[in-house]
Amino acid sequence: MSFIVRRRIILELASSSQFKGHAGGLRLIEVEQGPHGQPWAWWISGIDRALAGAARTAALLEATPDLEALSYYPHLLAWDLAHVPVKKRVTPVVLLDTFEDTADRHRDFERLLQRLVWLLPNVYFVISGRSRLPWADPALHGQLDWTGPAAWPGLADGPGSRQHLIGDLAPEDCDDYLARRLIHGGRPLISPAIRAAITARSHGLPLHLDLAVGRFLEIRRTREPLPQDFDHAFPALLARVLSDLTPEERHLLRSISLLDAFDLDLATQAAGLTNQAPARRLVERPLVTENPYALWPYHLHRAIRADIRTADHGDDRWTDADWQQAATRALAALGNQWATANAAPGISRPLLVACLRQGLRLAREHRLGDLGWLTDAAFAYTDDSVWEPLSPPASAPSQGAVDPGLDTPADALAELLSAITRRQHEHRQRTADRLTAVLDTRLLPAELTELAWYYRAKAHKDLARNDDARTGMQHVADTGGRLAPKALRGLANLARLAGDFPTALAAVPALGWEGRHHRVLGDIHWSHADTGQAVAAFEAGRIEAEQRGAVGERAMLQVRTALALSFADPQRADDELALAHQLLDGVDQRANRLLAHITAGIKDAGTPTVTGRAEQLRADIEAAGLPYLHRFLELALAFHHAVDNDTQALAVTIDRLHALIASGDFAHFTDIAHFMAGLPRSPGSTVRWLDGPDAARTNWRWLVTTRQHLLERGSRP
């Protein structure tokens, strides 16, 4: 018989005069019969074996049988289990659920349970609860009998940890659980539509599923449940979560619910606390999920985060003013993180974008009037021309439609940055309309208004509305703000597009890095077929961009390097294009990606595939709303036909160019097309070439004849 059953007999005998004083071995007591008909002698012999084999048996029998002494009796059970015959031996499994219910100020009950686990090493314990088991924490020394990683290596953090978060259930597992949870007539009682509604609201949290099942049964008493009955929060779920937390941790939990993700420092600042200890304790709880590879490693469980504003009915729940103050603190905390990174060399672009995403959402949802650091961050975001999305794309709007819900500065800033970013995927007319709507609200401060003016002018330039573009660029330049150098660059480019090269060149020295002086200079030189100086300028600009960590500008200059070389050195241009595509993969620059495809056609001029590829490019340019790129495409075809000596096709291309430059801009492209064929430029041309039209004609004609010689020798273009 098991020793756990014999314990009662031992305790009864421990007080008898026959038993005491015989720790080394028991005398047989003559009684007629024990439990189940076994003679008492058989039972006493078992006690005798226990006293002889289990070293602590005698001490336990001598102790007063109070709760403290009884808590060590599992040692006897462990000894007994170890002596079960091998053929009959099994591993008992003990489940201790909702372990957080053992928590109290002095850990008295937890100490008793820990002894049970420690003294039964041959029993498999499964302990589950809403919090991690902290026994491996050395800080608990003195509160429990065995603490620290040496005592509990399986509970310590690290690869060998035996503590596991169950995690969220997958949608299919949620549906399977709900289908099996209530069965009637062999079929799931909860309909598929209701199961889907519960699953979506639960975000995989098992406790939410259990509460939803209870609600289903409650509603079903009076009527048939509907899916919309389950699209709400459960106060009981949040009450259970909050009941495990200290007041400081509850304050922290509400604060971090405003953040999509956070680290210990961000959570501490957002809560207005002075030390990280509460945040460190909170992130160890299962309600916080960790991704060690993310920029901010922690995020609150989505179900809890979704419910905390609507289902929080505790005595210390926050007022609307409390939530407003918390949003202000969280926004400031994000700004502090970005400002700290911005002050250090090599600012992290992902951190900037992540701070902007969270900051814009906080400012909009809580209608925060002071944009603060968001203004500087907006300029830093636009400065590098990378264009990561700052928010999930909305449903496709109708052509020309604008967002009508702009009634705070934060709304206007979010729409401004969205319009600037989405112009890589929308027609430029849509961009111009959105930016006009932002300007019409008059909600933005002066600096951000300048940003809207500048990018609307860029959109007008892309739409070949160069008069409107000049007006916008001049307005920005006249303000003398932080975008004035870029506006001066825009004006220099517009002078170049109008064929006024001396004016464009004269503007270069004053542009500097902010005005992208190397890019402007390179554009002037390649237009004159001066490949060497153009490539030198573009490469100098690319090196400067790399030194400043401006990956968007670097990609842009790499495309232009390939463009300049594509006319003169197709083999080297091939290598430069490969690098350009590699750099473009990391940024979102639709216009430059299309320009790279046009450059590939110039590189392959004189081969049969160029004309067919041009047709697809026409469609892509039209879809992108970038009509100025049609001029580049026609220039590429003019070069191709000149190399082929196809005078008829070249004449058709020149006619198309004439039609495209009717406004007067890009007029030098028509001159260049004539120069490629060795023809005089069109009568009435107003283009002001740096060294006169004859020098430009000689340079362009030389590029055509050089390509013809390469093709005649069979060299690969």
Side-chain angles (χ1 to χ4, degrees), residues 398-415:
S398 59
Q399 186 68 23
V402 295
D403 183 358
L406 305 180
D407 53 3
T408 68
D411 292 334
L413 176 57
E415 175 65 8

Side-chain angles (χ1 to χ4, degrees), residues 398-455:
S398 59
Q399 186 68 23
V402 295
D403 183 358
L406 305 180
D407 53 3
T408 68
D411 292 334
L413 176 57
E415 175 65 8
L416 168 63
L417 294 179
S418 175
I420 294 172
T421 302
R422 290 293 298 167
R423 71 198 179 102
Q424 304 298 327
H425 306 279
E426 296 176 342
H427 197 284
R428 285 300 196 272
Q429 183 59 54
R430 162 77 177 155
T431 303
D433 290 342
R434 293 179 69 180
L435 292 174
T436 298
V438 169
L439 288 168
D440 288 345
T441 66
R442 302 182 183 275
L443 290 169
L444 292 174
E447 282 188 302
L448 292 172
T449 300
E450 175 187 346
L451 191 65
W453 269 93
Y454 175 74
Y455 277 96

Side-chain angles (χ1 to χ4, degrees), residues 27 40 113 145 168 240 399 475 480 521 523 575 668:
R27 292 181 302 168
W40 281 113
L113 289 176
D145 295 334
D168 300 337
R240 294 188 193 184
Q399 186 68 23
H475 173 84
L521 185 60
D523 282 338
D575 296 334
H668 62 292

Side-chain angles (χ1 to χ4, degrees), residues 184-258:
H184 181 70
R187 299 172 63 86
L189 190 60
I190 305 177
S191 69
I194 294 178
R195 296 202 304 268
I198 296 173
T199 297
R201 183 75 189 198
S202 73
H203 298 290
L205 191 65
L207 180 57
H208 185 102
L209 301 180
D210 281 340
L211 292 171
V213 169
R215 177 170 175 78
F216 178 88
L217 292 174
E218 180 183 354
I219 294 174
R220 196 169 180 270
R221 292 192 185 100
T222 56
R223 61 175 175 83
E224 193 66 25
L226 300 172
Q228 52 265 36
D229 293 326
F230 300 90
D231 186 22
H232 70 90
F234 286 106
L237 185 154
L238 199 59
R240 294 188 193 184
V241 171
L242 294 176
S243 66
D244 298 337
L245 306 179
T246 65
E248 205 171 34
E249 290 169 343
R250 290 197 293 274
H251 174 85
L252 184 70
L253 176 69
R254 294 181 176 104
S255 298
I256 63 174
S257 71
L258 296 170

Side-chain angles (χ1 to χ4, degrees), residues 398-594:
S398 59
Q399 186 68 23
V402 295
D403 183 358
L406 305 180
D407 53 3
T408 68
D411 292 334
L413 176 57
E415 175 65 8
L416 168 63
L417 294 179
S418 175
I420 294 172
T421 302
R422 290 293 298 167
R423 71 198 179 102
Q424 304 298 327
H425 306 279
E426 296 176 342
H427 197 284
R428 285 300 196 272
Q429 183 59 54
R430 162 77 177 155
T431 303
D433 290 342
R434 293 179 69 180
L435 292 174
T436 298
V438 169
L439 288 168
D440 288 345
T441 66
R442 302 182 183 275
L443 290 169
L444 292 174
E447 282 188 302
L448 292 172
T449 300
E450 175 187 346
L451 191 65
W453 269 93
Y454 175 74
Y455 277 96
R456 186 175 67 171
K458 284 177 67 70
H460 286 150
K461 180 183 76 68
D462 293 342
L463 292 166
R465 298 175 185 167
N466 288 341
D467 288 339
D468 292 334
R470 286 188 190 89
T471 301
M473 291 296 181
Q474 191 64 57
H475 173 84
V476 176
D478 290 343
T479 63
R482 67 173 86 187
L483 283 179
K486 289 188 174 183
L488 291 174
R489 180 194 72 212
L491 291 171
N493 282 331
L494 288 167
R496 174 177 57 85
L497 297 179
D500 189 357
F501 287 105
T503 299
L505 184 62
V508 171
L511 297 179
W513 158 254
E514 293 297 332
R516 305 300 192 258
H517 53 152
H518 289 305
R519 195 200 320 162
V520 175
L521 185 60
D523 282 338
I524 293 171
H525 285 313
W526 84 256
S527 299
H528 285 75
D530 191 345
T531 305
Q533 290 200 62
V535 171
F538 290 143
E539 289 184 340
R542 187 185 63 202
I543 292 171
E544 189 173 18
E546 288 171 349
Q547 292 171 343
R548 294 174 178 270
V551 295
E553 181 68 12
R554 180 183 61 172
M556 198 177 304
L557 286 162
Q558 182 60 35
V559 173
R560 280 167 163 72
T561 300
L563 173 65
L565 286 167
S566 64
F567 292 102
D569 190 345
Q571 193 163 15
R572 183 181 168 191
D574 205 11
D575 296 334
E576 299 294 346
L577 262 179
L579 178 58
H581 283 296
Q582 181 180 339
L583 298 179
L584 284 169
D585 284 342
V587 297
D588 193 359
Q589 295 180 354
R590 193 176 190 184
N592 281 294
R593 198 174 297 277
L594 289 170

Side-chain angles (χ1 to χ4, degrees), residues 12 54 99 237 303 318 379 397 412 446 478 489 555 587-588 599 619 660 693 699:
E12 289 175 351
F99 198 76
L237 185 154
W318 281 1
F379 278 97
D478 290 343
R489 180 194 72 212
V587 297
D588 193 359
T599 299
L660 288 169
N699 290 344

